[in-house]
Amino acid sequence: MRKFQGNPWAVLLVVSLGFFMTLLDLTIVNIAIPNLITKLHASLDDVLWVINAYALVLAVLVITAGRLGDLVGPRVMFSSGVAVFTAASAACGFAPSPGWLIAFRAVQGLGAAMLMPQTLTIITNTFPPERRGAAFGVWGAVAGVATIAGPTLGGLLVTAFDWRWIFFVNLPIGVFVLLITPVIIPELRLGRRHRIDVWGVLLASAALFAICYGLVEGQKYNWGTITGFISIPLILGLGVTLLLVFLAVQWATQDKEPLVPFKLFRDRNYSVVNWVSGVLAIGMMGVFLPLTIYFQSVLGFSALKAGLVMAPASLMSMFIAPVAGRTTDKIGGKYILMSGLILFGAGMAWLALVAQPDSSWPTFMAPLIVAGIGMGCIFAPMVTVAMRNIDPRVAGAASGVLNTVRQALPPQVRGRFVSQMDASARNGIQVGAGQNGGSAHLAHGIPAQIVAEIARIAHDVFTFAFVTAMRQTMILPIILLGIGALSCLAIKEGKRAPVPPAAEAVEAQAATPAAPAA
């Protein structure tokens, strides 16, 4: 096994496995929502926080974790993140109540935040610029497969066992990655040692937490008072104020060791891709959550069948992404990324248009194939364009910012949709395993024929109302995907600028693995 230490493709395999776990847990929970509601006796608000606790902690801490990777080394942070994530996954599987599950999901988010930005840092420092597109193609294939395959694997586990196994599935992967990381991934020297920006960490974490919490919980409290003098506007205002203070502190310390080096944004491509990444996050989560509920609660698919229905998109993404990565190395990623966003948005729009209360699974094959091709053309060129000109010494910070933008936005979309479903539930619509209509409380003695007719009418009302609401919910994410595609026109094409000999020597030293211990 030692002979593979430092081998770029072996390193890529290890970091991709760790990355796969973190992305899988962003989507695999969606397919288990009905089972969670039924088996764990969770409310829709509980389910919202099972989803959001993970994404919220991940969004708040990923930028700090990325910078810590520059400080203590990406391999140390990656290994520590895998350990925390794996232990938290086991705890989630044994959670006795919704409250405990939410708490353990937050710890899972901490582990994901620790390891996720290190994947880009390690790849950037392992592969030369002219080969990063191919590497990010594999990384992108993993991202696409994990994002879309979550429902398939989750459906299989929920159908065969129950919701707890969507967390237990992480254990063998996590243990394997933890064991081989010190053997395969070398200790990377990223130039001079960095100091952690303590004030930057505290201000950024507090600001992101306040803003994300306010947006997630806003609709629940009608954007008003939570308790006493504490209100959603106050929390959001505090978050924005802290964010402005954070930016001011960062601006004043750019000549030292800031948490976010502003020089990253002098690269126009990096700035544009950060915007596109946020738009993509809204688009993906804004369409996948309502679809998974639609498949189970409207069409009556089992969790496994609902996951398998989405498998064509996963398969197409898996095969297209490596090709897109290699092509990006040759011709640039601008138009590949733009085409991917357009195809993904078009596929999801097509699916929303053909979805009916009584649709059969073949109806969704063609739209999902189109969406899968689009997904395969997104991740590799997006990351390659963003990271191509980044100094390896600040790759952790760059990766942290990129991941923060991608993770900080989805909870609001999920929150809006689940809040709408919660309001519907209070009016009689239920969303759970085997529940697909209104709950009617009828007096005893009513003839069975009348009871059956009332149940049929209630079911029809539910299904037609849900399909209508789903289409309306998906409009905004699809429009934003189109805006993201147009934004790609701002990407500057062309090969990497020549590196001066002195800078080239520094970069080579920065990317040199430390000699393994005897």
Side-chain angles (χ1 to χ4, degrees):
M1 187 70 76
R2 286 281 179 185
K3 67 181 180 181
F4 292 109
Q5 184 171 40
N7 181 287
W9 296 104
V11 170
L12 179 62
L13 173 64
V14 176
V15 298
S16 294
L17 283 173
F19 185 56
F20 177 82
M21 289 195 305
T22 63
L23 284 187
L24 189 69
D25 267 51
L26 280 171
T27 57
I28 198 171
V29 175
N30 291 346
I31 202 74
I33 286 175
N35 194 263
L36 273 168
I37 293 172
T38 304
K39 297 288 184 68
L40 196 61
H41 306 294
S43 67
L44 279 168
D45 195 52
D46 290 333
V47 170
L48 171 63
W49 274 106
V50 168
I51 297 171
N52 283 338
Y54 179 82
L56 184 60
V57 174
L58 177 57
V60 168
L61 296 180
V62 72
I63 187 171
T64 299
R67 197 58 167 148
L68 280 173
D70 292 334
L71 174 67
V72 303
R75 189 180 77 173
V76 173
M77 285 296 293
F78 181 80
S79 298
S80 302
V82 171
V84 172
F85 187 90
T86 304
S89 296
C92 285
F94 289 112
S97 67
W100 281 107
L101 179 57
I102 291 168
F104 293 140
R105 282 282 284 171
V107 180
Q108 248 195 336
L110 169 63
M114 293 170 69
L115 76 89
M116 185 177 284
Q118 316 313 325
T119 62
L120 292 184
T121 304
I122 291 170
I123 293 173
T124 300
N125 285 279
T126 302
F127 287 85
E130 65 275 7
R131 293 174 59 198
R132 285 179 195 156
F136 285 132
V138 176
W139 182 91
V142 171
V145 170
T147 303
I148 305 177
T152 306
L153 180 59
L156 174 63
L157 294 171
V158 170
T159 301
F161 305 103
D162 70 1
W163 65 268
R164 297 182 186 276
W165 285 88
I166 66 174
F167 299 111
F168 290 148
V169 71
N170 292 324
L171 301 187
I173 303 174
V175 170
F176 177 72
V177 172
L178 200 57
L179 290 175
I180 65 173
T181 291
V183 179
I184 301 298
I185 300 179
E187 187 62 56
L188 299 171
R189 288 195 298 261
L190 302 180
R192 65 188 179 89
R193 290 186 61 83
H194 295 275
R195 294 183 296 106
I196 190 65
D197 178 7
V198 177
W199 280 109
V201 169
L202 294 176
L203 287 170
S205 300
L208 287 172
F209 180 81
I211 292 172
C212 290
Y213 179 87
L215 292 173
V216 168
E217 290 288 273
Q219 192 159 351
K220 175 182 176 181
Y221 294 102
N222 294 318
W223 304 99
T225 301
I226 298 176
T227 180
F229 69 92
I230 301 176
S231 65
I232 293 297
L234 176 64
I235 291 175
L236 289 173
L238 177 63
V240 172
T241 301
L242 288 172
L243 182 61
L244 293 174
V245 173
F246 166 74
L247 292 175
V249 170
Q250 294 297 288
W251 180 78
T253 58
Q254 284 299 301
D255 58 337
K256 298 178 182 177
E257 288 281 335
L259 183 64
V260 178
F262 286 174
K263 65 181 180 180
L264 293 174
F265 298 98
R266 294 174 191 160
D267 182 350
R268 184 171 74 184
N269 289 357
Y270 181 79
S271 300
V272 172
V273 169
N274 268 278
W275 157 253
V276 173
S277 179
V279 167
L280 174 64
I282 295 178
M284 288 177 60
M285 292 302 175
V287 297
F288 285 137
L289 176 58
L291 280 179
T292 54
I293 298 177
Y294 162 73
F295 287 145
Q296 293 181 76
S297 291
V298 175
L299 299 184
F301 292 171
S302 67
L304 175 58
K305 185 174 181 180
L308 290 174
V309 167
M310 301 187 73
S314 178
L315 291 173
M316 293 305 301
S317 175
M318 180 175 64
F319 288 112
I320 294 294
V323 177
R326 289 193 298 271
T327 306
T328 298
D329 280 336
K330 297 177 181 178
I331 67 172
K334 177 178 181 177
Y335 294 106
I336 299 175
L337 177 57
M338 182 186 295
S339 301
L341 290 166
I342 292 172
L343 287 172
F344 179 65
M348 291 294 101
W350 185 3
L351 192 151
L353 288 174
V354 300
Q356 299 294 334
D358 57 352
S359 296
S360 58
W361 68 266
T363 305
F364 310 113
M365 283 281 290
L368 286 170
I369 288 174
V370 172
I373 294 173
M375 186 64 67
C377 293
I378 289 175
F379 284 102
M382 183 172 70
V383 180
T384 303
V385 169
M387 302 294 287
R388 182 179 293 277
N389 297 323
I390 297 299
D391 185 341
R393 292 169 296 182
V394 291
S399 175
V401 172
L402 187 61
N403 280 287
T404 297
V405 172
R406 195 174 71 237
Q407 300 302 334
L409 297 173
Q412 288 78 298
V413 178
R414 292 193 296 266
R416 178 181 177 187
F417 183 81
V418 177
S419 295
Q420 290 172 346
M421 291 304 301
D422 193 28
S424 298
R426 287 194 292 270
N427 292 321
I429 294 178
Q430 299 180 13
V431 182
Q435 298 170 331
N436 57 7
S439 56
H441 303 283
L442 304 177
H444 294 291
I446 297 178
Q449 186 176 0
I450 295 178
V451 172
E453 184 63 17
I454 292 174
R456 185 191 65 79
I457 293 172
H459 168 72
D460 290 346
V461 169
F462 167 80
T463 55
F464 278 98
F466 189 100
V467 171
T468 301
M470 181 182 72
R471 286 174 177 161
Q472 293 173 351
T473 302
M474 292 171 67
I475 289 174
L476 177 61
I478 291 171
I479 290 175
L480 286 175
L481 286 169
I483 294 174
L486 291 175
S487 301
C488 293
L489 293 172
I491 292 175
K492 187 177 180 181
E493 284 281 58
K495 296 185 177 180
R496 192 183 188 205
V499 181
E504 199 172 60
V506 171
E507 181 173 317
Q509 180 184 4
T512 301

